[in-house]
Amino acid sequence: QFAVTGFARDAKTRQPVVALDMVPVDATGKPTVGKPNTYTFDARVNDEEPVFNVRFLLFLTQPGKYTVRLRATDKVANKTTTFDLPVAVVSPDN
Protein backbone atom coordinates (compact mmCIF):
# COMPACT_ATOMS: atom_id res chain seq x y z
CA GLN A 1 0.00 0.00 0.00
CA PHE A 2 1.23 3.47 -0.80
CA ALA A 3 -0.07 7.01 -1.22
CA VAL A 4 0.10 9.36 -4.19
CA THR A 5 0.38 13.11 -3.66
CA GLY A 6 1.39 16.15 -5.68
CA PHE A 7 -0.92 15.31 -8.59
CA ALA A 8 -2.63 17.81 -10.88
CA ARG A 9 -6.38 17.88 -11.39
CA ASP A 10 -8.32 17.94 -14.63
CA ALA A 11 -9.66 21.45 -15.32
CA LYS A 12 -13.24 20.25 -15.94
CA THR A 13 -13.68 17.36 -13.51
CA ARG A 14 -11.25 18.62 -10.80
CA GLN A 15 -10.10 15.00 -10.49
CA PRO A 16 -6.66 13.39 -10.87
CA VAL A 17 -5.86 10.90 -13.61
CA VAL A 18 -2.79 8.90 -12.60
CA ALA A 19 -1.48 5.73 -14.29
CA LEU A 20 0.31 3.46 -11.82
CA ASP A 21 2.42 0.38 -12.25
CA MET A 22 4.41 -1.93 -10.02
CA VAL A 23 7.16 -4.29 -11.14
CA PRO A 24 9.07 -6.49 -8.70
CA VAL A 25 12.63 -7.12 -9.93
CA ASP A 26 15.22 -9.57 -8.64
CA ALA A 27 18.75 -8.76 -7.47
CA THR A 28 19.99 -8.69 -11.09
CA GLY A 29 17.27 -6.22 -12.13
CA LYS A 30 15.22 -8.79 -14.04
CA PRO A 31 11.41 -8.49 -13.63
CA THR A 32 9.91 -11.39 -11.69
CA VAL A 33 6.54 -11.12 -13.45
CA GLY A 34 5.58 -11.27 -17.13
CA LYS A 35 3.95 -7.86 -17.12
CA PRO A 36 3.65 -5.12 -14.50
CA ASN A 37 0.62 -4.70 -12.27
CA THR A 38 -1.11 -1.62 -13.67
CA TYR A 39 -3.94 0.60 -12.56
CA THR A 40 -5.27 3.95 -13.73
CA PHE A 41 -6.65 6.01 -10.90
CA ASP A 42 -9.42 8.31 -12.08
CA ALA A 43 -11.84 7.95 -9.20
CA ARG A 44 -13.39 10.67 -7.11
CA VAL A 45 -10.98 12.47 -4.77
CA ASN A 46 -12.33 15.11 -2.42
CA ASP A 47 -11.29 18.58 -3.61
CA GLU A 48 -9.60 19.22 -0.27
CA GLU A 49 -7.65 15.94 -0.18
CA PRO A 50 -4.11 16.22 -1.57
CA VAL A 51 -3.52 12.45 -1.46
CA PHE A 52 -5.04 9.09 -2.37
CA ASN A 53 -4.08 5.52 -1.40
CA VAL A 54 -3.40 2.57 -3.69
CA ARG A 55 -2.81 -1.14 -2.99
CA PHE A 56 -0.97 -3.69 -5.09
CA LEU A 57 -0.59 -7.32 -4.04
CA LEU A 58 2.98 -8.59 -3.76
CA PHE A 59 3.38 -12.37 -3.63
CA LEU A 60 6.47 -13.36 -1.65
CA THR A 61 7.09 -16.89 -2.93
CA GLN A 62 10.88 -17.16 -3.35
CA PRO A 63 13.55 -16.19 -0.81
CA GLY A 64 15.93 -13.49 -2.02
CA LYS A 65 16.51 -9.77 -2.35
CA TYR A 66 14.14 -7.83 -4.57
CA THR A 67 13.19 -4.30 -5.49
CA VAL A 68 9.59 -3.22 -5.88
CA ARG A 69 9.62 -0.57 -8.59
CA LEU A 70 6.64 1.78 -8.46
CA ARG A 71 5.90 4.31 -11.20
CA ALA A 72 3.18 6.97 -11.24
CA THR A 73 2.38 9.01 -14.34
CA ASP A 74 0.19 12.06 -13.83
CA LYS A 75 -1.80 12.18 -17.08
CA VAL A 76 -3.03 15.73 -16.39
CA ALA A 77 0.41 17.28 -15.72
CA ASN A 78 2.22 14.80 -18.00
CA LYS A 79 4.83 14.02 -15.32
CA THR A 80 6.23 10.69 -14.14
CA THR A 81 7.94 9.72 -10.92
CA THR A 82 9.35 6.41 -9.70
CA PHE A 83 10.15 4.90 -6.34
CA ASP A 84 12.24 1.79 -5.64
CA LEU A 85 11.54 -0.14 -2.45
CA PRO A 86 14.06 -2.83 -1.43
CA VAL A 87 12.46 -6.04 -0.11
CA ALA A 88 14.12 -9.09 1.42
CA VAL A 89 12.19 -12.37 1.46
CA VAL A 90 13.49 -14.98 3.90
CA SER A 91 12.79 -18.70 4.00
CA PRO A 92 10.06 -19.64 6.52
CA ASP A 93 12.47 -21.99 8.29
CA ASN A 94 14.75 -19.05 9.29
Side-chain angles (χ1 to χ4, degrees):
Q1 179 172 323
F2 58 94
V4 177
T5 188
F7 48 83
R9 293 176 181 263
D10 181 88
K12 289 183 182 180
T13 66
R14 298 292 307 144
Q15 293 302 307
V17 180
V18 180
L20 303 157
D21 63 53
M22 177 191 74
V23 178
V25 298
D26 64 18
T28 66
K30 180 181 174 187
T32 63
V33 293
K35 62 180 185 173
N37 290 322
T38 60
Y39 177 71
T40 298
F41 186 91
D42 58 1
R44 181 96 179 117
V45 175
N46 185 316
D47 286 344
E48 297 169 14
E49 287 293 323
V51 64
F52 62 86
N53 295 317
V54 180
R55 290 184 187 175
F56 280 123
L57 294 177
L58 178 63
F59 297 100
L60 308 174
T61 59
Q62 296 292 321
K65 293 191 179 204
Y66 301 91
T67 300
V68 175
R69 188 157 292 144
L70 298 168
R71 181 174 58 188
T73 301
D74 184 333
K75 298 291 192 174
V76 176
N78 199 27
K79 293 183 180 180
T80 299
T81 190
T82 60
F83 180 78
D84 285 354
L85 176 68
V87 175
V89 180
V90 295
S91 177
D93 52 322
N94 282 345

